[in-house]
């Protein structure tokens, strides 16, 4: 079980959190012309990297904030956690 | 009572207390402090059970968790547990044990015939033989395997014991209380670190309990006692025995089970049987010691053959002689100590040593004591069916692949030692890449992936001096990184015997022209010939050899067999062990009972139970409850002898005719505030929300980004920047997460806050033609007329001093209102409504009637919004705004979503107007078509329409739009029924929606 540092609450065990996927995915702007390709990339396609990955986590059983976790998917090392407005 | 193999003195048992136990129907005695294994051996019992595959007689092979043979069925106080290891159970009053895997008895076992057919049970036997024909699996193969290989009986009753979970944090977790473990714990604790020291056995000390050593001016066991007492007195230290750390997970999370109850004679009430600890440690010190390795020789599995150091442990710790005429068979110096200890009790042994000579101090000591030593000898075979009675021994030839001569040596036991295997399981589980050390023939920890340090013999330090020095040093260094106290202890002077090298020879040749079995893995009955066969058949990867032969699998996890198996494969492939590599060690290190893993989360505690504020009223009024997620909701209210169908029909009909009240508190409620709230809702819902007037509710549908309908509900504008959203009971938490995601991740610029208020409001739906009359009585000073509170209107009224939010919304299709009051007033309000509604014919209704009402109105719910349907499928396409963008809209242009014959919701009525259609039935055009019959769609919800008094269902079927009036068949292969049906509109009752607006 991972230990994740919520930027608002501090170190907590993984069972307090929900995983939220790739944090680098950007939702296309509302009311913009979006090609099928772009939309498919946004809705369906995700990379599955072995190594460092910037991802979203949600502190569901805590402060209910979404935040970013920079994590190595192979070793589970968490390099950094940060608020949504920050970047590694 | 006489225990024939108990010494007259010595050991750590309490000889003043005699405890009886029953083994296979016969009564025996042991002492407090015994394990079942030591008590059995004290009575001369070696034969415990039968082996897994060949049903060979097997006996106690070791004294600790590495014993793979001593599995029994344990009974105590009408509770039974299978596959219990006799070396791990402490003797208490009232134990009864029975051999397992044998029929009719352990002495005479019919399955033992497998042994004579053993050439038909080679490696991969199960894969090769039981492959086909497929039908044989059910009738021939599986029953045969099950009967022949039965491993104990699972208990049939619920586990009456209590198990608990505990979370703990510490600076340093020390696993194992041998010399290095105690040294590091002392050193770290004195330097101020918060330490947990865990020992799996019932006594601290590890090898210090059996070795003749001194530390400082104390004997080894005295040093243990004093050190543990000192640690226990320190506030920063937690010391636990009977506690097995069995798993090492990510971020230094370790799990340990503590045996709290089974060893107690009179446990206090509510004592948990076991406690599962989740320990998050800043650093882990692994001092788990090492396990003696067996030697491999023909028929090396007979009862009476055991590890040499285990024999010494039985003697020194329990005062038990596992044999009175033993042979010690070794390829190294350590086993000599066993012979010396037995000699001290007056038991003469013969030592067979595969080496040509040894000049270690301990060997010289044995010589001086006059113990007979035969160097360069091996055991070629053994005899004795239920217990070993002789060994065929011989001098090894120069190439060590045969014997110069053979002779028979009578014996009643053989104590074997084939060198030592460091217990690296935890380090390996943690991700440590092990390296092979050729000098000691061991895998040792190498590169840690997490913060762990392995010390003592687990790290290949096989002398006390090294282990102590290592323990004190590492304990200090690791703790100092955390505490910076710089308090270092000096290492005490120690004295121990001189042990040296071992022979790189461990697998004895067979006598000429004999093909006796030489076992490598006792638990899985894997012999040398099986591994040879696997390699011959082309299995190269050690992981494949493991699975093909089952070497090192199951609860044993290769504790005694791993290294021997690897060496064998390496020799066969003419490689060295590091090239072959090792298999992965997996948690748990030893068997863990499932009750411990589950803890208190059983039965009604499996999940939290959510109850509405009116729950007690429902209970008092004969509600029969149903699980709705975590919620308990009234399904119906029982009156007399009614069935579920009768009660729910009565309740639903009463809503259509008079007035009903339903507890809707479980609906998700989300409070939304902020100046961009309307804009946000406009993006979340498919329909327009920007211009929703204050004091009005609106039905809304939300999608996922892939276009599927996610949830529906009503949202009310309470003031300009304040909204009250409702969600379905099932999706309440998911909708909140969804909203938080868009607000925090996607559109952080929006000034909106959302918070769940589900539990803050008690909700009650008042539905039926008399509902307005009732409301009038409830709020006599307020205007509840069609003009004052029109359909989809919202008002705040006062009832006494209670503020009530009143929404004119309807799920039943009748004129209806939903009243919300703060939870604490819920029951009071509900009671008032029941009293005021009495002369209007009010009755409470449950989820079953609620379902009936919504189905016959054609309202969709969770069985239709199942994550696979788009708005069109649910006839909600009118809810899709053409003028604005919203979440998921772009996906709706996908081709499949626009196909002409797309699925759509319809109503279904059986032609006979009698037969209810099971939910989940398929709709097909031709009931007699051959399999697979093309399926048009499925029945999503069924009810008995109270309006028409016949069955009615909703279904989602292909081209549903154009099928009204078509005659189809509903088929339910599970129930084997076919029902002719006709397709009609989904809106069976009041299709124009006049009633809700009346
Ligand atoms: Zn938090």
């Amino acid at each position: 079980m991972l230990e994740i540092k919520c930027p608002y609450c501090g170190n907590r065990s993984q069972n307090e959190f929900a995983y939220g996927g790739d944090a680098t995915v950007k939702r296309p702007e509302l009311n913009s012309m979006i090609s099928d390709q772009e939309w498919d990339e946004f809705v369906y396609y995700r990379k599955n990297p072995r190594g460092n990955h910037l991802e979203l986590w949600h502190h569901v059983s805590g402060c209910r904030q979404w935040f970013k976790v920079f994590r190595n998917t192979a070793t589970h090392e968490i390099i950094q956690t940060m608020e949504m407005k920050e970047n590694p | 009572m006489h225990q024939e193999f108990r010494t007259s003195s010595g050991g750590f048992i309490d000889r003043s207390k005699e405890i009886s136990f029953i083994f296979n129907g016969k009564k025996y005695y042991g002492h407090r402090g015994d394990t079942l294994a030591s008590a059995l051996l004290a009575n001369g019992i070696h034969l415990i059970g039968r082996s897994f595959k060949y049903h060979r007689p097997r006996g106690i092979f070791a004294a600790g968790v590495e014993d793979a043979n001593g599995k029994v069925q344990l009974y105590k106080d009408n509770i039974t547990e299978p596959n219990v290891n006799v070396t791990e159970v402490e003797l208490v009053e009232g134990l009864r044990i029975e051999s397992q895997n044998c029929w009719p008895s352990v002495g005479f076992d019919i399955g033992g015939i497998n042994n004579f057919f053993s050439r038909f049970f080679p490696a991969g036997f199960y894969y090769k033989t039981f492959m086909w024909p497929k039908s044989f699996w059910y009738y021939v193969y599986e029953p045969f395997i099950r009967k022949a290989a039965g491993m104990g009986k699972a208990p049939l009753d619920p586990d009456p014991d209590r198990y608990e979970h505990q979370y703990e944090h510490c600076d340093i977790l020390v696993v194992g209380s041998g010399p290095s473990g105690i040294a590091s714990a002392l050193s770290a604790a004195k330097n101020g670190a918060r330490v947990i020291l865990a020992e799996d056995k019932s006594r601290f000390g590890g090898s210090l309990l059996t070795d003749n050593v001194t530390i400082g001016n104390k004997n080894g066991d005295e040093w243990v006692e004093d050190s543990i007492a000192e640690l226990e007195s320190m506030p920063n230290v937690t010391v636990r025995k009977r506690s097995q750390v069995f798993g090492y997970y990510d971020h230094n999370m370790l799990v340990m089970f503590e045996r709290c109850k089974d060893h107690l004679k009179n446990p206090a009430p509510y004592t948990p049987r076991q406690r599962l600890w989740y320990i998050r440690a800043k650093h882990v010190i692994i001092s788990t010691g090492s396990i003696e390795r067996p030697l491999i020789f023909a028929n090396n599995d007979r009862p009476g053959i055991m590890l040499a150091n285990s024999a010494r442990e039985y003697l020194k710790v329990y005062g038990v002689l596992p044999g009175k005429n033993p042979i010690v068979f070794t390829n190294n110096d350590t086993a000599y100590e066993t012979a010396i200890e037995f000699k001290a009790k007056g038991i003469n042994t013969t030592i067979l040593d595969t080496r040509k000579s040894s000049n270690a101090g301990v060997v010289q000591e044995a010589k001086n004591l006059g113990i007979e030593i035969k160097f360069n000898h091996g055991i070629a075979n053994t005899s004795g069916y239920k217990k070993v009675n002789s060994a065929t021994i011989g001098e090894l030839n120069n190439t060590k692949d045969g014997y110069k001569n053979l002779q028979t040596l009578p014996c009643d036991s053989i104590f074997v030692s084939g060198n030592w295997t460091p217990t690296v399981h935890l380090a390996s589980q943690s991700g440590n890449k092990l390296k092979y050390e050729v000098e000691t023939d061991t895998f040792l920890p190498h590169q840690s992936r997490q913060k762990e340090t392995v010390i003592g013999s687990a790290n290949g330090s096989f002398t006390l001096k090294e282990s102590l020095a290592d323990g004190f040093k590492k304990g200090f260094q690791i703790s100092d990184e955390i505490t910076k106290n710089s308090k270092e202890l000096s290492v005490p002077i120690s004295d121990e015997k001189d042990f040296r090298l071992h022979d790189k020879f461990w697998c004895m040749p067979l006598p000429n022209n004999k093909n006796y079995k030489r076992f490598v893995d006792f638990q899985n009955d894997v012999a040398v010939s099986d591994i040879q066969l696997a390699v011959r058949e082309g299995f190269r990867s050690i992981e494949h050899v493991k699975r093909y032969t089952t070497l090192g699998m199951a609860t044993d996890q290769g504790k005694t067999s791993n290294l021997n198996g690897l060496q064998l494969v390496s020799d066969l492939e003419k490689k060295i062990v590091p090239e072959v590599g090792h298999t992965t060690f997996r948690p748990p290190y030893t068997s863990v009972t499932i009750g411990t893993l589950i803890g208190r989360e059983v039965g009604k505690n499996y999940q939290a139970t959510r109850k509405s504020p009116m729950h007690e009223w429902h209970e008092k009024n004969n509600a029969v409850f149903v699980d709705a997620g975590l919620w308990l909701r009234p399904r119906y209210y029982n009156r007399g002898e009614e069935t579920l169908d009768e009660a729910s029909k009565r309740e639903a009909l009463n809503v259509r005719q008079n007035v009903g009240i339903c507890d809707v508190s479980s609906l998700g409620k989300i409070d939304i505030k902020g100046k961009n709230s309307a804009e946000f809702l406009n993006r979340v819902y498919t329909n327009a929300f920007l211009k929703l007037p204050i004091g009005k509710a609106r039905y809304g549908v939300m999608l996922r980004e892939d276009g599927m309908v996610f949830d529906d509900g009503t949202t009310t504008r309470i003031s300009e920047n304040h909204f009250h959203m409702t969600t379905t009971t099932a999706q309440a938490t998911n909708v909140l997460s969804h909203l938080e995601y868009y607000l925090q991740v996607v559109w952080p610029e929006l000034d909106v806050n959302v918070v769940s208020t589900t539990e803050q409001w008690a909700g009650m739906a008042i539905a039926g033609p008399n509902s307005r009359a009732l409301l009038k009585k409830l709020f006599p000073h307020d205007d509840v007329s069609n003009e004052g509170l029109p359909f989809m209107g919202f008002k705040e009224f006062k009832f006494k001093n209670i503020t009530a939010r009143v929404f004119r919304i309807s799920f039943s299709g009748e004129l209806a209102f939903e009243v919300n009051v703060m939870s604490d007033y819920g029951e009071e309000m509900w009671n008032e409504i029941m009293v005021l509604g009495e002369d209007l014919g009010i009755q409470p209704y449950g989820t079953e009637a609620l379902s009936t009402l919504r189905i016959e109105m054609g309202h969709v719910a969770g069985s239709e919004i199942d994550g696979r349907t788009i708005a069109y499928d649910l006839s909600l396409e009118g809810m899709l705004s053409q003028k604005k963008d919203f979440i998921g809209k772009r996906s709706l242009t996908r081709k499949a979503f626009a196909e002409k014959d797309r699925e759509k919701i319809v109503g279904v009525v059986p032609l006979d107007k009698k037969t209810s259609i099971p939910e989940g039935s398929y709709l097909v055009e031709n009931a007699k078509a051959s399999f697979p019959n093309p399926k048009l769609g499925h029945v999503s919800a069924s009810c008995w329409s109270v309006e028409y008094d016949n069955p009615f269902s909703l279904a989602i079927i292909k081209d549903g739009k154009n099928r009204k009036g078509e005659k189809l068949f509903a088929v339910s292969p599970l129930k084997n029924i076919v029902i002719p049906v006709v397709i009609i509109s989904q809106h069976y009752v009041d299709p124009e929606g006049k009633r809700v607006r009346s």
Side-chain angles (χ1 to χ4, degrees):
Chain A
M1 188 159 31
L2 308 186
E3 190 175 45
I4 300 169
K5 186 180 178 185
C6 170
Y8 308 94
C9 309
N11 283 333
R12 302 296 180 94
S13 273
Q14 184 184 346
N15 49 2
E16 291 188 12
F17 299 89
Y19 178 68
D22 188 340
T24 63
V25 173
K26 268 208 95 62
R27 191 191 191 282
E29 293 287 317
L30 288 167
N31 301 305
S32 59
M33 289 295 292
I34 307 159
S35 69
D36 285 351
Q37 172 87 30
E38 276 175 274
W39 188 253
D40 284 354
E41 293 281 346
F42 162 63
V43 177
Y44 296 105
Y45 294 102
R46 294 293 181 271
K47 291 201 178 73
N48 184 19
R50 187 183 196 281
N52 291 351
H53 187 226
L54 188 65
E55 53 204 23
L56 293 173
W57 287 76
H58 189 200
H59 198 181
V60 283
S61 301
C63 62
R64 296 209 60 96
Q65 294 298 303
W66 288 85
F67 60 96
K68 290 181 192 164
V69 175
F70 195 41
R71 181 180 69 105
N72 185 309
T73 58
T75 65
H76 289 312
E77 185 198 352
I78 292 178
I79 301 131
Q80 196 187 343
T81 63
M82 68 217 90
E83 294 178 22
M84 280 310 305
K85 59 177 183 279
E86 299 169 322
N87 280 305
Chain B
M1 287 301 195
H2 183 58
Q3 296 169 27
E4 200 192 332
F5 290 83
R6 186 79 70 177
T7 59
S8 55
S9 64
F12 299 94
I13 49 166
D14 179 358
R15 286 172 189 264
S16 68
K17 299 253 172 13
E18 214 164 42
I19 296 174
S20 69
F21 66 99
I22 293 168
F23 173 59
N24 287 341
K26 223 179 137 192
K27 196 172 195 176
Y28 299 94
Y29 289 87
H31 292 294
R32 167 101 20 101
D34 264 326
T35 61
L36 272 176
S38 65
L40 285 163
L41 289 172
N43 289 281
I45 297 167
H46 284 257
L47 174 61
I48 301 296
R50 293 276 176 164
S51 73
F52 176 60
K53 209 157 70 177
Y54 305 125
H55 288 242
R56 289 168 70 104
R58 288 282 165 81
I60 296 162
F61 186 72
V65 295
E66 71 271 32
D67 184 271
N69 287 342
K71 298 249 185 277
V72 292
Q73 184 90 25
L74 180 77
Y75 298 85
K76 193 192 178 208
D77 304 337
N78 301 321
I79 303 165
T80 187
E81 191 178 3
N83 301 325
V84 168
N85 213 331
V86 289
T87 61
E88 294 175 57
V89 179
E90 292 174 56
L91 190 63
V92 287
E93 288 290 350
L95 294 186
R96 181 162 70 84
I97 53 173
E98 270 172 26
S99 298
Q100 53 191 38
N101 204 23
C102 56
W103 185 82
S105 76
V106 69
F108 175 75
D109 173 54
I110 285 179
I113 202 129
N114 288 357
N115 193 19
F116 298 104
F117 292 109
S118 67
R119 61 199 187 88
F120 299 119
F121 281 85
F125 167 75
Y126 291 94
Y127 299 103
K128 285 172 188 159
T129 312
F130 296 138
M131 288 296 281
W132 50 267
K134 201 178 160 200
S135 61
F136 268 46
W137 253 111
Y138 307 108
Y139 305 112
V140 183
Y141 298 149
E142 197 181 322
F144 169 75
I145 294 171
R146 282 196 188 282
K147 192 163 194 311
M151 294 289 277
K153 291 186 276 279
L156 296 174
D157 296 321
D159 190 337
D161 272 310
R162 187 184 175 101
Y163 301 86
E164 295 194 343
H165 286 185
Q166 173 167 350
Y167 286 79
E168 199 60 74
H169 295 257
C170 65
D171 293 330
I172 299 172
L173 168 66
V174 181
V175 186
S177 73
S180 62
I182 291 179
S184 61
L186 270 177
S187 173
K190 288 282 181 188
N191 198 27
R194 288 183 305 141
V195 175
I196 296 175
L197 173 64
E199 166 61 44
D200 73 310
K201 292 198 170 178
S202 60
R203 292 175 188 84
F204 295 102
S207 61
L208 294 175
L209 294 175
T210 49
D211 289 356
N212 282 318
V213 297
T214 60
I215 300 172
N217 52 2
K218 297 167 189 168
N219 285 333
D221 55 327
E222 291 165 359
W223 182 79
V224 170
E225 203 173 310
D226 294 350
S227 304
I228 293 294
E230 188 170 6
L231 285 166
E232 281 177 334
S233 72
M234 297 174 72
N236 53 329
V237 183
T238 302
V239 181
R240 282 288 182 279
K241 56 187 170 185
R242 300 187 176 91
S243 295
Q244 178 81 59
V245 177
F246 65 89
Y248 197 140
Y249 298 91
D250 287 301
H251 293 186
N252 266 13
M253 161 71 81
L254 290 95
V255 286
M256 167 174 104
F257 68 81
E258 180 188 3
R259 302 187 297 276
C260 311
K261 185 182 169 190
D262 287 352
H263 62 284
L264 299 175
K265 191 178 175 192
N266 294 311
Y270 307 114
T271 304
R273 178 165 179 243
Q274 296 193 357
R275 183 177 287 122
L276 184 71
W277 294 56
Y278 294 90
I279 302 171
R280 184 85 68 179
K282 288 192 185 129
H283 204 107
V284 179
I285 293 179
I286 299 172
S287 50
T288 44
S290 49
I291 288 174
E292 199 165 31
R293 224 177 283 173
L295 286 167
I296 298 175
F297 50 97
N299 291 309
N300 57 341
D301 64 330
R302 297 190 193 283
I305 302 176
M306 70 166 62
L307 293 169
N309 190 62
S310 296
R312 184 151 62 100
E313 186 172 334
Y314 283 117
L315 177 59
K316 295 274 284 183
V317 176
Y318 304 100
V320 168
L321 293 165
K324 291 185 176 177
N325 182 25
I327 293 171
V328 173
F329 182 29
T330 183
N331 71 355
N332 66 82
D333 295 328
T334 59
Y336 282 75
E337 187 66 5
T338 302
I340 291 167
E341 293 284 5
F342 273 71
K343 180 82 183 174
K345 290 288 173 191
I347 303 290
N348 284 312
T349 57
T350 305
I351 299 177
L352 306 178
D353 192 329
T354 63
R355 299 173 300 176
K356 290 226 160 71
S357 67
S358 169
N359 53 7
V362 72
V363 175
Q364 194 55 50
E365 186 186 341
K367 281 181 186 165
N368 295 344
L369 287 168
I371 296 170
E372 189 184 4
I373 304 169
K374 290 178 187 288
F375 282 110
N376 198 33
H377 270 67
I379 293 183
N381 190 18
T382 68
S383 303
Y385 184 55
K386 291 179 207 167
K387 192 179 168 200
V388 65
N389 57 26
S390 71
T392 307
I393 66 168
E395 191 175 355
L396 293 158
N397 66 18
N398 289 339
T399 44
K400 287 191 170 180
D401 56 3
Y403 304 93
K404 287 182 187 162
N405 48 50
L406 289 175
Q407 69 181 96
T408 303
L409 190 62
C411 64
D412 69 349
S413 52
I414 302 175
F415 305 150
V416 297
S417 177
N419 198 22
W420 291 81
T421 307
T423 307
V424 292
H425 294 63
L426 286 179
S428 173
Q429 288 175 20
S430 154
N432 195 307
K433 288 259 175 289
L434 308 176
K435 73 161 192 262
Y436 191 73
E437 198 184 81
V438 178
E439 195 189 326
T440 50
D441 286 323
T442 53
F443 275 103
L444 294 178
H446 182 42
Q447 276 177 328
S448 326
R449 194 169 66 74
Q450 308 199 55
K451 288 207 177 272
E452 100 249 339
T453 303
V454 188
I455 60 172
S457 68
N459 195 36
S461 304
F462 287 109
T463 68
L464 176 63
K465 201 175 168 191
E466 275 179 307
S467 289
L468 283 175
D470 202 21
F472 277 102
K473 190 173 115 198
K474 294 283 166 48
F476 169 73
Q477 286 173 348
I478 294 161
S479 61
D480 212 50
E481 275 175 34
I482 298 165
T483 67
K484 319 261 189 244
N485 278 357
S486 308
K487 271 195 207 160
E488 188 168 3
L489 301 178
S490 57
V491 183
I493 291 164
S494 59
D495 186 47
E496 66 194 301
K497 290 189 183 177
D498 171 33
F499 304 99
R500 301 235 176 120
L501 292 175
H502 71 286
D503 195 1
K504 290 182 178 296
F505 176 70
W506 42 272
C507 182
M508 299 306 121
L510 290 169
N512 283 338
N513 305 319
K514 299 289 183 192
N515 56 359
Y516 301 132
K517 287 219 169 289
R518 292 173 291 178
F519 284 95
V520 181
D521 179 328
F522 297 108
Q523 183 169 49
N524 299 293
D525 261 356
V526 179
V528 172
S529 52
D530 295 314
I531 295 172
Q532 287 168 335
L533 178 68
V535 173
R536 220 164 43 237
E537 290 188 358
F539 290 91
R540 287 296 175 269
S541 155
I542 189 66
E543 294 282 2
H544 292 162
V545 172
K546 167 179 167 176
R547 279 155 188 80
Y548 194 57
T549 62
T550 67
L551 170 75
M553 307 228 310
T555 57
D556 169 58
Q557 283 290 296
K559 290 183 185 70
T560 54
S561 62
N562 210 300
L563 253 296
N564 281 338
L566 291 175
Q567 286 179 328
L568 201 59
V569 174
S570 322
D571 287 358
L572 289 167
E573 294 196 45
K574 303 202 168 25
K575 284 182 181 171
I576 51 170
V577 174
E579 287 175 33
V580 174
H582 62 88
T583 54
T584 313
F585 295 98
R586 297 177 198 285
Y589 173 61
T590 56
S591 306
V592 187
T593 190
I594 289 171
T596 302
L597 299 178
I598 296 166
R600 298 289 295 278
E601 288 158 19
V602 287
K604 70 180 170 59
N605 297 325
Y606 175 62
Q607 288 180 313
T609 302
R610 301 180 76 178
K611 293 175 183 170
S612 105
M614 285 80 86
H615 188 82
E616 279 180 31
W617 189 95
H618 304 320
E619 276 182 333
K620 276 182 234 148
N621 288 274
N622 301 324
V624 176
F625 292 95
V626 62
D627 290 325
L630 298 180
W631 290 92
L632 274 183
R633 297 189 70 183
R635 193 174 185 190
Y636 63 99
Y637 298 82
N638 209 0
R639 283 191 180 177
E641 301 289 297
E642 278 178 332
T643 62
L644 161 69
D645 284 347
E646 288 162 356
S648 59
K649 265 189 224 174
R650 166 180 56 73
E651 291 171 6
L653 200 59
N654 190 58
V655 172
R656 294 264 181 257
Q657 291 172 346
N658 299 307
V659 60
I661 178 168
C662 180
D663 186 345
V664 293
S665 304
S666 67
L667 284 186
K669 295 178 267 304
I670 297 170
D671 206 58
I672 301 171
K673 279 183 177 168
K675 68 173 194 287
N676 301 121
S677 299
E679 168 64 25
F680 178 55
L681 289 169
N682 210 43
R683 297 178 186 186
V684 168
Y685 281 124
T686 61
N687 47 332
F689 268 80
L690 267 182
K691 289 177 186 145
L692 177 67
I694 293 168
K696 275 285 197 182
R698 184 165 288 173
Y699 175 70
V701 171
M702 51 179 91
L703 311 185
R704 307 189 308 222
E705 291 286 18
D706 66 1
M708 300 295 174
V709 176
F710 175 37
D711 199 42
D712 68 346
T714 59
T715 289
T716 306
R717 193 165 204 163
I718 290 172
S719 66
E720 178 65 23
N721 293 323
H722 183 194
F723 291 80
H724 172 82
M725 173 186 276
T726 66
T727 74
T728 58
T729 301
Q731 295 284 19
T733 56
N734 295 337
V735 170
L736 185 66
S737 290
H738 177 80
L739 300 183
E740 285 166 337
Y741 171 82
Y742 282 93
L743 287 173
Q744 296 172 27
V745 178
V746 184
W747 303 310
E749 68 279 7
L750 292 183
D751 176 10
V752 181
N753 275 294
V754 293
V755 66
S756 166
T757 54
T758 302
E759 295 188 346
Q760 276 64 36
W761 295 103
M764 39 211 104
I766 299 168
N770 294 345
S771 59
R772 182 174 288 127
L774 174 56
L775 217 63
K776 214 173 186 121
K777 291 172 84 174
L778 203 57
F779 307 107
H781 310 299
D782 296 300
D783 181 5
V784 297
S785 68
N786 205 19
E787 294 72 38
L789 185 54
F791 182 55
M792 298 309 270
F794 160 75
K795 282 272 169 68
E796 270 188 5
F797 295 145
K798 281 266 188 214
F799 174 79
K800 295 180 184 168
N801 282 327
I802 310 167
T803 303
R805 287 181 171 181
V806 182
F807 306 84
R808 189 168 159 198
I809 54 179
S810 174
F811 189 57
S812 57
E814 295 298 326
L815 170 67
F817 302 86
E818 196 180 306
V819 177
N820 282 6
V821 295
M822 288 202 296
S823 293
D824 287 351
Y825 297 106
E827 193 170 348
E828 184 183 347
M829 189 74 182
W830 181 283
N831 268 317
E832 280 307 331
I833 294 170
M834 290 305 298
V835 170
L836 294 175
E838 200 176 339
D839 56 353
L840 295 167
I842 195 164
Q843 285 181 25
Y845 63 103
T847 55
E848 202 68 25
L850 186 74
S851 227
T852 295
L853 295 166
R854 75 94 185 166
I855 292 168
E856 62 177 6
M857 292 304 300
H859 286 171
V860 293
S863 48
E864 289 78 33
I865 304 178
D866 62 359
R868 299 176 297 178
T869 43
I870 60 168
Y872 175 89
D873 308 349
L874 306 174
S875 287
L876 293 172
E877 62 270 30
M879 302 287 296
L880 304 174
S881 168
Q882 304 300 317
K883 296 190 186 127
K884 58 146 193 172
D885 200 358
F886 51 83
I887 291 169
K889 186 178 191 183
R890 177 64 181 81
S891 287
L892 299 180
T893 57
R894 286 173 61 185
K895 220 173 101 200
F897 287 172
E899 271 172 3
K900 286 253 161 4
D901 62 348
R902 177 95 204 157
E903 288 81 1
K904 202 169 186 62
I905 189 166
V906 295
V908 184
V909 173
L911 287 183
D912 68 0
K913 301 262 175 125
K914 278 189 202 120
T915 314
S916 289
I917 308 167
E919 290 175 351
S921 297
Y922 291 168
L923 288 169
V924 297
E925 279 173 350
N926 178 0
K928 296 202 172 96
S930 61
F931 196 77
N933 194 347
K935 165 192 161 190
L936 297 173
H938 73 281
V939 171
S940 60
S942 290
C943 72
W944 189 278
S945 164
V946 290
E947 184 91 3
Y948 297 97
D949 199 25
N950 58 250
F952 175 73
S953 298
L954 294 174
I956 298 171
I957 60 168
K958 207 163 194 56
D959 200 20
K961 190 180 177 188
N962 299 311
R963 286 195 190 268
K964 305 226 164 71
E966 265 188 38
K967 294 198 168 121
L968 300 172
F969 297 91
V971 297
S972 176
L974 276 179
K975 300 193 171 171
N976 200 23
I977 52 176
V978 176
I979 305 164
V981 299
V982 63
I983 302 301
I984 60 169
S985 159
Q986 78 187 94
H987 301 294
Y988 200 29
V989 174
D990 190 23
E992 286 95 36
K994 283 184 184 150
R995 296 181 190 176
V996 294
R997 292 181 174 79
S998 63

